[in-house]
Amino acid sequence: MNKTWIIIKREFFARTKKKTFLLTTILLPLLLFGFYAGIIYFSVKGESEKKIAIIDQYNLLNEKLEPITGLTPVFMNNADPETLKANFEKEGFHGFLTIPADLNLDKPETISLFVKTPVGISTQERLESRINKAIERRKLELLLAADVRPERL
């Protein structure tokens, strides 16, 4: 039993005193931390205040959008999407959101966001969340207008 502990002790110290063991024990966690910190930094980097134009031809948002950090909406419902696409940077916008008049609430893929440079991930998720809430509200309004009882919902 005594010889086993001597061998275990010798092997442990022989392996832990090597430079490769020390470097991987210290550097690998630092590299992983740096990698994840870089990912978080670049995903949040695009969080500066951006002004976007919103062309809501369906009147889904009713010229109201819940506040979104890093995003200032400007409603331009009478603007032509093609004209705005060509001139949105000249007019001081970072991008524009188009909600077409023939929007299908069950498949809202026709809603489009056009930006020159990508917005931050969290800003994009917050914008999508606000639009999804507006779609849910509109669907609920349509169901209640059709005299669907709340119990049936």
Side-chain angles (χ1 to χ4, degrees):
M1 185 72 175
N2 193 17
K3 291 180 184 179
T4 307
W5 283 110
I6 292 173
I7 294 171
I8 290 173
K9 195 161 103 177
R10 182 196 167 283
E11 286 296 318
F12 176 76
F13 285 119
R15 296 194 191 260
T16 56
K17 287 183 180 178
K18 289 184 180 179
K19 288 181 185 178
T20 55
F21 177 80
L22 293 174
L23 288 176
T24 56
T25 303
I26 295 170
L27 288 182
L28 189 61
L30 288 176
L31 286 172
L32 286 173
F33 175 76
F35 178 72
Y36 285 114
I39 289 172
I40 292 169
Y41 171 75
F42 287 114
S43 70
V44 176
K45 182 181 176 187
E47 296 297 316
S48 63
E49 194 66 30
K50 309 238 190 285
K51 188 168 102 172
I52 65 163
I54 298 178
I55 302 174
D56 186 5
Q57 297 170 337
Y58 187 80
N59 203 19
L60 178 69
L61 301 173
N62 297 325
E63 298 214 9
K64 290 181 275 183
L65 186 65
E66 295 175 32
I68 299 173
T69 307
L71 198 64
T72 305
V74 177
F75 285 89
M76 303 178 70
N77 296 341
N78 297 327
D80 178 41
E82 294 304 317
T83 307
L84 189 59
K85 188 174 185 177
N87 300 331
F88 73 95
E89 284 185 297
K90 293 175 188 170
E91 295 185 26
F93 294 110
H94 179 74
F96 66 93
L97 176 76
T98 309
I99 303 173
D102 60 345
L103 176 69
N104 181 356
L105 292 176
D106 294 326
K107 295 183 180 181
E109 288 87 18
T110 55
I111 296 175
S112 61
L113 175 65
F114 182 82
V115 290
K116 192 73 172 176
T117 57
V119 294
I121 293 171
S122 60
T123 303
Q124 183 175 349
E125 287 176 355
R126 283 187 231 126
L127 181 61
E128 286 176 5
S129 170
R130 300 306 192 283
I131 291 172
N132 286 336
K133 284 180 185 177
I135 289 172
E136 288 174 11
R137 244 181 298 157
R138 182 57 56 95
K139 284 181 178 180
L140 184 62
E141 288 171 5
L142 292 173
L143 286 173
L144 292 175
D147 291 329
V148 175
R149 290 173 287 147
E151 304 87 43
R152 190 156 184 219
L153 285 177

